[in-house]
Amino acid sequence: MSIRAIIAACLFSLCAMPALASGPRYFKDSVPYPRLKPSPTVVVALPLIVIDPGHGGRDPGAIGQKGLLEKTVTTAAAKELKALLEATGRYRVILTRGTDTFVEHDDRLRIARERQADLFISIHADSTKSRSIRGASVYTLADRAKNRSKRIVNNQNWIMDVDLATQSDSVGDILVDLAQRSTETQSEAFADILLSNLSGKTALVGNSHRRAGYYVLLAPDVPAVLLELGFLSNVNDERLLKTKSHRTKLMKAVRLSVDDYFSGPGRRG
Ligand SMILES: [Zn+2]
């Protein structure tokens, strides 16, 4: 459970305690007086999902054998996923970009961190020299990239749940480490759920849970995955990714995974 979630749970249990009226109490016209204050209604915000359509604007991403652009696929899939998630009424959803514009990696991460996202899903489509390779895969942050994440926390003065400015460097490092570890566990859990729900819906590449140092996965306190929908360098994947029905099949698997993830132990939703 993240530090934020623990604080939220404590606040929730405090607020949920029934309010007791103090002072003398007597009955007037059979109505208890003074009336007991109604328990405050506790509004717990719905989990926030940030969907990140890869590339955009001057950056087309991969280009398919038949000319399909990765940015076109990722934009369409992200919007479809947003609609599916919002239809459940269980989540708040933000896109890092809703139009064909270029957004820096930094800004994509900033959106997730500043809004305190509960889950970040970056959507991409792959490409490789071997045209026969096809299938989806899911990336989480590689161990070797974690020091880079720490450097970014320090260089960009990211505000963590704890005030790093008041800590010595080594304590600050440990706190970032703790946040990272909890985030990693959650990212890995979501990746596994996602792959099991994608299996059977689409081809998966061998070793489909992969680890890399992609910039958008570097936030130490936002669970994040990068989903590669398939290979645009493969004509079959390209043809499928162009169709709404195939993308919808994939995005329904993502929505199901989000449902499974947030109904897991210790998570809100
Ligand atoms: Zn990409």
Side-chain angles (χ1 to χ4, degrees):
M1 188 184 264
S2 71
I3 298 168
R4 204 159 58 228
I6 292 167
I7 294 169
C10 293
L11 285 175
F12 179 84
S13 57
L14 281 174
C15 295
M17 287 167 70
L20 294 175
S22 57
R25 191 178 303 164
Y26 58 91
F27 289 87
K28 185 180 178 187
D29 303 330
S30 310
V31 177
Y33 183 86
R35 293 181 190 198
L36 290 175
K37 274 196 218 162
S39 297
T41 310
V42 178
V43 179
V44 177
L46 296 172
L48 175 66
I49 321 288
V50 172
I51 307 170
D52 173 47
H55 311 277
R58 65 174 190 260
D59 170 19
I63 300 173
Q65 295 290 312
K66 308 271 183 205
L68 181 61
L69 303 180
E70 181 181 354
K71 67 174 183 177
T72 310
V73 177
T74 60
T75 311
K79 285 181 177 173
E80 286 152 13
L81 177 58
K82 182 174 192 279
L84 286 169
L85 287 170
E86 284 177 341
T88 67
R90 296 174 59 181
Y91 312 104
R92 293 170 295 142
V93 186
I94 294 174
L95 297 178
T96 54
R97 64 172 181 87
T99 55
D100 182 16
T101 46
F102 179 77
V103 181
E104 294 284 358
H105 285 145
D106 261 358
D107 292 327
R108 296 173 194 254
L109 268 192
R110 192 170 300 123
I111 291 167
R113 295 202 69 251
E114 285 182 359
R115 306 285 192 107
Q116 304 196 336
D118 294 284
L119 186 61
F120 180 90
I121 305 172
S122 192
I123 298 180
H124 286 252
D126 232 330
S127 177
T128 183
K129 278 181 187 156
S130 170
R131 294 182 179 185
S132 60
I133 293 179
R134 60 178 302 198
S137 55
V138 176
Y139 284 83
T140 48
L141 189 65
D143 276 343
R144 64 176 186 278
K146 285 179 190 155
N147 283 335
R148 191 176 165 210
S149 173
K150 271 184 206 157
R151 276 200 302 277
I152 294 174
V153 169
N154 293 324
N155 294 347
Q156 306 204 356
N157 223 0
W158 275 355
I159 298 160
M160 303 287 290
D161 281 340
V162 286
D163 183 2
L164 295 179
T166 63
Q167 312 290 343
S168 69
D169 279 359
S170 56
V171 172
D173 267 6
I174 292 167
L175 292 171
V176 175
D177 225 44
L178 283 173
Q180 248 176 358
R181 225 173 292 167
S182 146
T183 302
E184 177 191 9
T185 308
Q186 294 172 65
S187 305
E188 296 275 317
F190 181 69
D192 288 341
I193 294 170
L194 182 53
L195 279 166
S196 73
N197 284 324
L198 283 170
S199 134
K201 312 270 187 335
T202 186
L204 296 175
V205 288
N207 184 20
S208 50
H209 184 168
R210 299 174 169 217
R211 285 154 184 97
Y214 292 132
Y215 197 96
V216 289
L217 299 176
L218 287 176
D221 48 0
V222 179
V225 300
L226 186 146
L227 167 63
E228 296 275 10
L229 297 171
F231 280 82
L232 290 178
S233 43
N234 176 276
V235 282
N236 288 317
D237 273 5
E238 181 182 14
R239 181 178 45 79
L240 285 170
L241 288 173
K242 204 172 180 176
T243 66
K244 186 168 194 281
S245 62
H246 181 72
R247 288 194 310 266
T248 299
K249 196 160 68 170
L250 300 184
M251 292 306 105
K252 280 186 173 168
V254 180
R255 186 206 56 197
L256 183 63
S257 306
V258 172
D259 285 346
D260 290 350
Y261 174 79
F262 282 102
S263 53
R267 295 193 186 92
R268 299 184 297 129

